[in-house]
Amino acid sequence: MATSGSQPAAEIGVIGGSGFYSFLDDIEEIQVDTPYGPPSDPIAVGELAGRRVAFVPRHGRDHRFPPHQIPYRANLWALRSLGVRQVLGPCAVGSLTPGYGPGTLAVPDQLADRTSGRAQTFYGEGAAIHVSFADPYCPTGRRTAIESARASAWEPVDRGTLVVIEGPRFSTRAESRWFASQGWTLIGMTGHPEAVLARELALCYTSLCLVTDLDAGIEEGDGVTMEEVLRVFGQNIGRLRALVTDVVKALPTERTCPCPNVLDGMKLPLELP
């Protein structure tokens, strides 16, 4: 299903977790079939800040998908098939920098992939398709997110590198210290391949990172625990949800960034929705 009548079902997509399941008004749930199986759950489409928004729960509503088993390709394909062209990816991350404590908002400009075994392309056969990924996030989306956060008095870290690990375990202290030694500032488990798959579909993608903990190599003690992550995320979910609403409202209706043109001149081995 790509449209409702002659109009897209949604223009903006949000891929999020707990706390985002009921933030839309007048929700319609849409079951979307994709060549990559079903998305994490039926897509919730509704109104937010005067815009048509599609929401997919990244891990499923019952949190049944660990980070390495999320159907990333199905999620992004489903959003595009509904008309989505701009995607926001709020997520919980750890900090590799002592100055970025729990509750910090970060809008990274770079990504480092340390995953293994995840399907991370739509173009694995049929043609050699190489998309530009030097700057993995949409510049317009990042600017809009940073400006919206500042307007709400939540000063963000406006750049940095998010390293994505395979999970579902947390890092050892040695791994954490090595990541930090590379100059990487944030660590998570879901930002890749989400960002590159969005790029391969010519979508705008912006990561909104909420720091929930200092990673194991940065702070003494017992290391990162799921209890700590959920506690800090719960304390800040209202603020993060309000920010997503502000960003949705402020995103431009016309895309003038490079993202829509990333596939120009390429002969694709499949037809995009």
Side-chain angles (χ1 to χ4, degrees), residues 14-21 55-60 63 90-91 233 237:
V14 176
I15 305 175
S18 301
F20 283 92
Y21 299 152
F55 171 72
V56 56
R58 185 181 280 120
H59 296 275
H63 218 82
C91 61
F233 194 78
I237 183 58

Side-chain angles (χ1 to χ4, degrees), residues 16 21 34 39 47 49 89 132 159-160 200 202 220 236 248 255-256 264 268 273:
Y21 299 152
T34 84
E47 296 287 332
S132 175
R159 60 178 52 84
E200 287 195 341
E220 296 299 326
N236 289 274
V248 164
R255 296 196 295 164
T256 58
D264 288 0
L268 303 182

Side-chain angles (χ1 to χ4, degrees), residues 41-115:
D41 256 321
I43 310 298
V45 177
E47 296 287 332
L48 183 67
R51 312 288 290 272
R52 292 291 292 173
V53 174
F55 171 72
V56 56
R58 185 181 280 120
H59 296 275
R61 294 183 202 188
D62 54 0
H63 218 82
R64 66 188 179 278
F65 293 111
H68 63 298
Q69 294 183 351
I70 292 170
Y72 293 101
R73 290 190 296 181
N75 288 349
L76 271 301
W77 189 275
L79 289 177
R80 183 178 166 97
S81 74
L82 294 174
V84 166
R85 294 297 181 267
Q86 300 182 83
V87 178
L88 301 177
C91 61
V93 301
S95 171
L96 295 167
T97 306
Y100 303 165
T104 298
L105 172 71
V107 185
D109 63 338
Q110 281 296 316
L111 180 151
D113 172 27
R114 294 293 298 172
T115 65

Side-chain angles (χ1 to χ4, degrees), residues 183-263:
W184 304 337
T185 52
L186 305 166
I187 183 168
M189 298 181 188
T190 60
H192 180 85
E194 212 166 78
V196 70
L197 292 172
R199 180 63 54 84
E200 287 195 341
L201 294 180
L203 303 176
C204 299
Y205 181 88
T206 304
S207 183
L208 306 173
C209 296
L210 173 65
V211 173
T212 57
D213 58 271
L214 293 177
D215 209 48
I218 308 304
E219 185 177 46
E220 296 299 326
D222 296 332
V224 183
T225 66
M226 195 63 190
E227 180 183 8
E228 176 187 9
V229 169
L230 293 176
R231 177 180 58 80
V232 176
F233 194 78
Q235 291 171 346
N236 289 274
I237 183 58
R239 201 176 190 187
L240 185 59
R241 191 164 49 196
L243 175 62
V244 169
T245 301
D246 291 343
V247 177
V248 164
K249 183 177 182 180
L251 282 172
T253 56
E254 297 293 330
R255 296 196 295 164
T256 58
C257 58
C259 307
N261 304 314
V262 69
L263 299 173

Side-chain angles (χ1 to χ4, degrees), residues 7 10 30 33 53 87 94 123 125 137 146 164 193 216 232 237 247 253 257:
Q7 297 295 320
I30 301 177
D33 296 322
V53 174
V87 178
Y123 309 120
E125 56 186 28
Y137 304 112
I146 291 165
V164 183
V232 176
I237 183 58
V247 177
T253 56
C257 58

